[in-house]
Amino acid sequence: MDSLNQIEIQNIRHICGHSTSFCEKINYYKTLSSDSNVTTVFDDICNECNNLKSELSNML
């Protein structure tokens, strides 16, 4: 990862920040649904966002 320039590093930081916002929105939408299948999908999406954020943060 030594070859990343400042713009690429900044883009990674933005992705990490946006993944947090996505999870907050997903948790809100989850409260609007009573279907367990939908809430499971929302949980999976949020988990994947968190995993992506962790992986990207570890790269830096």
Side-chain angles (χ1 to χ4, degrees), residues 2-14 60:
D2 294 335
S3 63
L4 292 176
N5 63 36
Q6 284 300 114
I7 293 174
E8 293 167 330
I9 292 171
Q10 185 175 358
N11 287 338
I12 291 172
R13 287 183 183 142
H14 284 292
L60 298 177

Side-chain angles (χ1 to χ4, degrees), residues 9-59:
I9 292 171
Q10 185 175 358
N11 287 338
I12 291 172
R13 287 183 183 142
H14 284 292
I15 292 170
C16 290
H18 290 307
S19 70
T20 301
S21 298
F22 293 150
C23 283
E24 291 172 2
K25 290 178 183 179
I26 288 168
N27 284 329
Y28 168 72
Y29 292 134
K30 193 169 71 169
T31 63
L32 300 176
S33 176
S34 59
D35 186 356
S36 64
N37 292 329
V38 172
T39 57
T40 301
V41 170
F42 284 155
D43 284 335
D44 291 343
I45 292 170
C46 195
N47 287 335
E48 288 299 320
C49 283
N50 286 330
N51 290 340
L52 175 65
K53 180 180 173 180
S54 295
E55 290 292 323
L56 289 172
S57 295
N58 290 337
M59 287 173 36

